[in-house]
Amino acid sequence: MTPLLQVKGLTKTYGRHIGCRDVSFDLFPGEVMGIVGESGSGKSTLLNSMAGHVVPDAGQVIFDTRDVGPRDTRAMSEPERRMLSRTDWAFVHQHARDGLRMGVSAGGNVGERLMAVGARNYGAIRASAIDWLDRVEIRADRIDDRPTTFSGGMQQRLQIARNLVTGPRLVFMDEPTGGLDVSVQARLLDLLRGLVRDMGLSAIIVTHDLAVVRLLADRLMVMKGGDVVETGLTDQVLDDPQHGYTQLLVSSVLQV
Amino acid sequence: MSDYNFAYLDEQTKRMIRRAILKGLAIPGYQVPFASREMPMPYGWGTGGVQVSAAVLCPEDTLKVIDQGADDTTNAVSIRRFFERTAQIAVTTATADATVIQTRHRIPEEPLRDGQILVYQVPIPEPLRFLEPRESETRKMHALEEYGLMHVKLYEDISRHGHIATAYAYPVKVADRYVMDPSPIPKFDNPKMEMAAIQLFGAGREQRIYALPPFTRVVSLDFEDHPFVASKADHPCGLCGAQDSYLDEVIVDDAGGRMFVCSDTDYCAGRQVDGHRGSDNKEDAA
Amino acid sequence: MYVAVKGGERAIDNAHAWLAEERRGDLAVPELTTAQIREQMTLAVNRVMAEGSLYDPDLAALAIKQARGDLIEAIFLIRAYRTTLPRFGSSLPVDTGAMACDRRISATFKDLPGGQVLGPTFDYTHRLLDFMLAADGDVPAAPEMPVDPAPVPHVMSFLNSEGLIAQETCDGTPASDLTRAPLELPAARALRLQALTRGDEGFVLGMAYSTQRGYARNHAFVGELRIGTVPVEMEIPELGISIEIGEITLTECETVNQFTGSKTEPAQFTRGYGLVFGQTERKAISMALVDRALRWEELGEDDQGAPAQDAEFVLYHCDNIQATGFLEHIKLPHYVDFQSELELVRKLRRDATGQGAE
């Protein structure tokens, strides 16, 4: 089976500071990969380098495109990359504000990607938006409200709806539950798990929270100081960590 | 003004503007940057239109200048005089007799024909400007045909008001490619933009020229289930009775009494000469 | 019976006639001459030359007279005139190091070669209205002393030789002309400086002030402010040599700003630069501060989101001729568009309240 995403030797430095170094892995359709580590481990740099938000210094990010098969996204033209990020790819930001138009209604936010790829029937767009708001457990009567009137958890769910409405195949998530209450987090994770499963999504999730990867990720990469120190199936790595740092991470999680 | 070149601008400048015009005609709706010159009238008062007209005028041309559809509004008078003095060309108020028509905010009611040029004065050429203030970003959006945001705006209007809430400067898609601002003409005029004449758009302060060759496809943006309607006030003209022309609302007394008259003064006068009379114009009330 | 208003032409002519009368004012009062303006309102003349981008004190004085003292209107006249002038070519870069300085001060050193020369400055005057001026009167001659003909070295050269300040290097690319090519972003520094020197003094002052108050503060010191005349030289291809075609007065301000350093570069001061026609200090200093603020990206600093750091904001709004033109254009008739808005609002209200068509 062709991997959906192949990352090879991805490296990004900031002057003398190493962002991420020589990271390689394959991701298959329907797989969820978690990337964990403390602040400064390089996980966000890695995510942003893969998603094309920053330009890496070296390496390839090969995506299995629908029309021509595997292509190195780093070698793509900007129009192609931007098209990809509006259709097959999605990016869920840690702060919903970064991934939403705060001055546009919830319906407009969800409908934008549809309109960007040619949807021209107001009624149909609105119906899609209502459907998606429902799937992320936002009441339909909030469709005309601006995200500024939403709670943090709702904003995040709206961001997810906005990203998933065009049925992307790969979703990048940067600390999707960061800054949310514990109960709100739990609800969000449940939602994400359901969506990922129902839509057969592949996802790469960056988080410092091991509970998130336990719940969502099939596989796990542990990063420290820009390097991947351990990788494997989530349960295996968390239940039987091999690397000293992973052991430290696992043991420092509060058992409630 | 005898020390000035024909139509004020020097030949090098005209050449530069003509090159921009040719680029604009080759890529309908694309905003071509040009080095706008300081003109003797203020930026915002038609310098873009004046530069375009100055670049295309020949001594044999006949010029008409209108503002709000009328030949006699002060700024139209001022611009027409400018060209009379600097180009000594023939001028007219009759749309049919003009070879070059410079206009602010209206398209003449009478259909234009092959051989005529319509020059629009444009204040803000960028249709996305008020959705995205950064020039660097809007340039990319045009280059990559990323117009989703434009439709989001229309969506928002409908969700808030039940209708698209843009009455003038209504955005259009041109030759199935670029989204363009037609200048602040009322949306009633949008359908006229598919015409036999050449249309040139000049924005002096913003330093952009764009153009439409004859018979370019121009489609006003809308939704299938909320189609574009070229609406106007639901009255006939009080002076000439026309049902199909864009109307000015005039307040005629202290009680707020109103009358609707054709905004296109030449069209209205022509109809009256032909014997048409509106309900406010019957019988001599001298 | 409504008759459409006509007579726009006559209205305009009458307005112009009245304007001419107002411009002249009370006939019992002697008419202002352009020579008087040139000689006795020199700083106004300087501003008009600087923002009009045309060095001609007589024309600037005429413009001020014609504009009835409205300097932005005068600048407009000069700009429009400038458009019509044929261009023969460019001068060589002026050498401000060879300036015959009337005024030369440095805030960074107490004393230095060339000395601190106050020149004809308002700086230490007490701002008390002098009613003697209203009475007219002869001015006593100012004391004189012989001038040292040696050129005055730039303060920056001292900092340069110690390696304390970032060097300005010229890579030889010719600067494009802001008045000949449309402004496109990102704009190179040369283009930004052109925009600033001809930008509205009040706007640039406000932007500079904002940096001092913390909106992207860059800790400016006036390294040097010099005002004086420089020769202007031009290469004549037919002659194969360059000749001096005239002399102009310039104000040059070099600021020493916030030092930066990185892991690979040791700390160095950075610079801001202002250059303006005539004795136009406030503008030159403001220009240097805003120049420095706009350089944040090439100096590796953070974008603090301050207005003075936003090149698009500063460069698109500093031109007062564009600004006033667009501002004042809202006086023009807009009734066609207003009519369409009226129709729309009426329709929306009808639909909202469920009333029938009126």
Side-chain angles (χ1 to χ4, degrees), chain A residues 78-79 82 86 101 104-105 107-108 112 115-116 120-123 125-126 144 146, chain B residues 137 140-141 144-146 148-149 151-152 155-156 158-160 222-226:
Chain A
E78 197 182 351
R82 276 168 84 124
R86 271 183 291 152
R101 292 200 190 272
V104 169
S105 70
E112 182 174 354
M115 290 184 261
R120 289 292 175 265
N121 187 296
Y122 175 82
I125 293 166
R126 198 170 169 82
D144 294 323
R146 298 242 174 93
Chain B
E137 189 54 31
K140 249 184 225 164
M141 290 161 85
L144 303 177
E145 211 173 336
E146 280 181 16
L149 193 54
H151 276 90
V152 169
Y155 170 95
E156 293 291 283
I158 299 171
S159 69
R160 201 174 309 147
D222 61 9
F223 289 100
E224 285 164 6
D225 47 344
H226 285 264

Side-chain angles (χ1 to χ4, degrees), chain C residues 96-292:
Chain C
T96 52
M99 183 187 282
C101 297
D102 285 339
R103 174 161 160 73
R104 190 275 196 136
I105 55 169
S106 169
T108 49
F109 295 100
K110 180 167 178 177
D111 206 353
L112 66 171
Q116 305 269 17
V117 181
L118 288 180
T121 175
F122 284 118
D123 279 355
Y124 304 102
T125 61
H126 298 146
R127 269 63 169 191
L128 302 167
L129 274 177
D130 182 356
F131 293 97
M132 295 300 291
L133 278 179
D136 295 326
D138 283 323
V139 171
E144 290 185 7
M145 69 178 249
V147 131
D148 181 346
V152 179
H154 275 114
V155 170
M156 292 308 181
S157 61
F158 306 125
L159 295 171
N160 263 340
S161 60
E162 258 195 87
L164 290 170
I165 193 161
Q167 293 274 23
E168 298 288 12
T169 46
C170 178
D171 63 2
T173 28
S176 59
D177 183 341
L178 183 65
T179 65
R180 277 291 180 270
L183 177 64
E184 288 183 302
L185 298 170
R189 190 173 177 211
L191 219 56
R192 301 196 304 248
L193 289 171
Q194 287 175 45
L196 289 175
T197 191
R198 77 204 301 252
D200 182 74
E201 182 173 308
F203 182 84
V204 180
L205 170 66
M207 287 288 118
Y209 179 48
S210 75
T211 66
Q212 292 181 291
R213 291 197 67 257
Y215 288 84
R217 186 164 177 222
N218 50 55
H219 297 97
F221 292 90
V222 172
E224 180 160 10
L225 180 69
R226 57 169 62 194
I227 301 177
T229 52
V230 293
V232 178
E233 287 182 30
M234 188 169 164
E235 252 176 40
I236 312 292
E238 292 84 350
L239 300 178
I241 51 162
S242 62
I243 57 166
E244 184 179 316
I245 56 171
E247 202 176 64
I248 59 174
T249 303
L250 289 177
T251 302
E252 182 189 53
C253 176
E254 297 201 86
T255 53
V256 181
N257 299 82
Q258 179 75 44
F259 54 86
T260 57
S262 64
K263 291 248 167 65
T264 47
E265 307 283 341
Q268 271 185 323
F269 289 112
T270 53
R271 325 170 90 153
Y273 190 76
L275 186 71
V276 193
F277 283 155
Q279 178 180 1
T280 317
E281 266 179 55
R282 183 182 303 114
K283 178 64 173 297
I285 303 172
S286 301
M287 182 175 160
L289 263 64
V290 178
D291 170 49
R292 175 59 180 80

Side-chain angles (χ1 to χ4, degrees), chain C residues 15 24 26 79 124 163 175 199 237 258 274 283 302 308 317 322 335 338:
Chain C
R24 178 60 184 83
D26 186 349
R79 292 260 192 104
Y124 304 102
Q258 179 75 44
K283 178 64 173 297
D302 291 332
H317 301 117
Q322 290 181 19
Y335 53 81
F338 186 67

Side-chain angles (χ1 to χ4, degrees), chain C residues 2-20:
Chain C
Y2 170 73
V3 178
V5 172
K6 289 246 159 228
E9 297 219 11
R10 218 174 66 211
I12 290 180
D13 287 337
N14 290 343
H16 290 169
W18 194 352
L19 174 65

